[in-house]
Amino acid sequence: MIKVKNISKYYGKSKGAENVSFEVKKNEITGLLGRNGAGKTTTLNIITGYIAADFGSVEIEGYDIQKKPRQAKAKIGYLPEKPPIYTDMTVDEYLFFCAELKGVDTELAEKHVDEICSITGISEVRSRLCGNLSKGYTQRLGMAQALIGNPPILILDEPTIGLDPKQIVEIRELIKNLSNNHTVLISSHVLSEIDKICSKIIIMDKGAVAAYDTLENLTNIYGSAGKMNLRVKGADSSFEKELKKIDGVNSTVCGEENEQGISDYSITYSKDRDINEQVFDLATKKNIKILEMKSKVSTLEDVFLNIVGKDKEKLN
């Protein structure tokens, strides 16, 4: 478990983090989001004990990171954005070196490294030099070093950066599986990845926590209005008027009817409404054939932009 209580960090007159508080519970995967300069890296550096907060505290499994750093850090496996790899070592040499640094019993180290290599899918490259690994294997090796010593908490900074789509899916599944035995805090610019694997989401802006909740709750609070694209055949002018009368519909825009009698409608409606059934019933009542009906719900990107402002830098 991670407890962050009102941490603040200043660099001269610049604010790295201010009054940041949140809690990551056991076996949760929590995503940390924010545009560049929002305070994510500063927050992670404080949590891992790399730098000290000016104010506030961080507890790792009950240990204060400043008062009992050795005990707290022993509970953390950390994968920074750039994995800390020694390029002139082989994968095996590097992992056994990490095991020694983390105090893994030498008699147990070989079995432990075998297990970690199997979990992270790097068994076949153990004899290669770290500097000769592909980007995907380098990220997996970084994950492996974080797992050495079997820490209960994993902190992952941009674990899928620079990976191809197949590698991203593989790392995503790996992180999901790791959450069975580990608490995970993950920072990423790839919103689709956070959306797929995280149970809680923290959004930072200007060094502070702007929002912290489940995606479902954040969507209910900060999500955009619902949107529907509707294509029908055989509609007359009264159909659009009737669409506007449906409870929750905010606006409708009708394109020009083509020569086959097909019309397209763009409908916006309140985010807390589901108008699919009413639209279908109206079309049936008027003997109008529905060719396509697609509803677009709010995404994590919509939530993010609504929180930090649409004039701000957009994430990938």
Side-chain angles (χ1 to χ4, degrees):
M1 181 185 295
I2 304 170
K3 288 185 179 180
V4 178
K5 301 178 183 178
N6 300 316
I7 60 172
S8 296
K9 181 68 179 179
Y10 302 95
Y11 304 100
K13 294 182 179 180
S14 299
K15 178 175 60 178
E18 187 170 59
N19 294 324
V20 173
S21 296
F22 58 84
E23 183 175 316
V24 184
K25 296 182 179 179
K26 185 176 181 181
N27 297 124
E28 275 187 351
I29 305 179
T30 297
L32 181 62
L33 298 178
R35 61 197 183 101
N36 291 334
K40 302 188 306 297
T41 298
T42 294
T43 299
L44 292 182
N45 284 340
I46 292 171
I47 292 173
T48 57
Y50 183 69
I51 62 175
D54 294 328
F55 304 99
S57 65
V58 175
E59 287 187 10
I60 305 294
E61 294 282 300
Y63 295 106
D64 187 295
I65 195 71
Q66 292 302 314
K67 295 177 181 177
K68 295 188 176 180
R70 290 181 65 87
Q71 293 93 325
K73 291 178 182 180
K75 302 292 184 179
I76 298 173
Y78 181 38
L79 172 61
E81 182 174 347
K82 184 177 180 180
I85 307 300
Y86 291 97
T87 57
D88 57 345
M89 286 183 171
T90 66
V91 169
D92 251 5
E93 289 170 342
Y94 174 67
L95 291 178
F96 280 108
F97 172 66
C98 291
E100 184 177 354
L101 288 178
K102 293 187 178 185
V104 177
D105 191 308
T106 54
E107 294 182 2
L108 302 176
E110 185 169 350
K111 182 180 179 182
H112 182 55
V113 170
D114 287 346
E115 291 174 350
I116 297 299
C117 288
S118 177
I119 290 170
T120 55
I122 59 173
S123 297
E124 64 185 47
V125 297
R126 292 177 63 171
S127 62
R128 291 189 196 175
L129 285 174
C130 295
N132 292 337
L133 296 178
S134 67
K135 178 66 175 178
Y137 275 123
T138 299
Q139 288 296 106
R140 286 177 175 273
L141 179 57
M143 196 81 73
Q145 67 80 26
L147 286 168
I148 292 290
N150 198 30
I153 292 172
L154 296 177
I155 297 178
L156 312 176
D157 191 2
E158 300 287 356
T160 60
I161 191 169
L163 302 184
D164 64 38
K166 180 175 182 296
Q167 292 168 336
I168 289 174
V169 171
E170 292 171 349
I171 294 295
R172 181 202 308 158
E173 291 304 311
L174 173 58
I175 294 170
K176 281 184 181 179
N177 292 334
L178 290 174
S179 69
N180 293 326
N181 299 302
H182 302 269
T183 300
V184 182
L185 176 61
I186 175 174
S187 173
S188 178
H189 277 79
V190 185
L191 297 183
S192 59
E193 293 308 303
I194 295 293
D195 190 350
K196 288 181 175 67
I197 65 176
C198 293
S199 53
K200 291 275 187 72
I201 293 168
I202 304 161
I203 297 178
M204 294 190 68
D205 189 36
K206 298 178 181 178
V209 173
Y212 170 45
D213 212 326
T214 63
L215 177 58
E216 181 180 1
N217 289 342
L218 290 176
T219 300
N220 289 335
I221 298 170
Y222 298 102
S224 304
K227 297 178 182 178
M228 175 185 287
N229 293 325
L230 179 68
R231 171 168 287 189
V232 299
K233 185 174 183 179
D236 56 24
S237 59
S238 67
F239 182 57
E240 184 176 1
K241 295 178 182 178
E242 293 296 320
L243 284 174
K244 291 179 178 179
K245 294 179 182 179
I246 293 176
D247 189 24
V249 169
N250 298 327
S251 67
T252 64
V253 177
C254 178
E256 297 229 352
E257 181 180 324
N258 68 19
E259 52 191 33
Q260 285 84 33
I262 296 173
S263 303
D264 290 306
Y265 296 83
S266 178
I267 305 168
T268 63
Y269 55 93
S270 301
K271 63 186 179 184
D272 58 345
R273 300 281 184 175
D274 183 353
I275 65 169
N276 287 14
E277 186 174 342
Q278 293 96 314
V279 171
F280 182 83
D281 288 345
L282 176 62
T284 302
K285 178 182 176 182
K286 298 180 73 65
N287 294 317
I288 294 171
K289 187 174 183 179
I290 295 178
L291 303 179
E292 183 178 287
M293 185 166 65
K294 290 183 179 180
S295 293
K296 179 181 180 296
V297 298
S298 292
T299 64
L300 180 55
E301 182 174 334
D302 296 324
V303 170
F304 177 85
L305 292 175
N306 284 337
I307 289 173
V308 306
K310 294 187 178 182
D311 58 324
K312 305 290 180 65
E313 176 185 353
K314 188 175 179 180
L315 292 184
N316 295 337

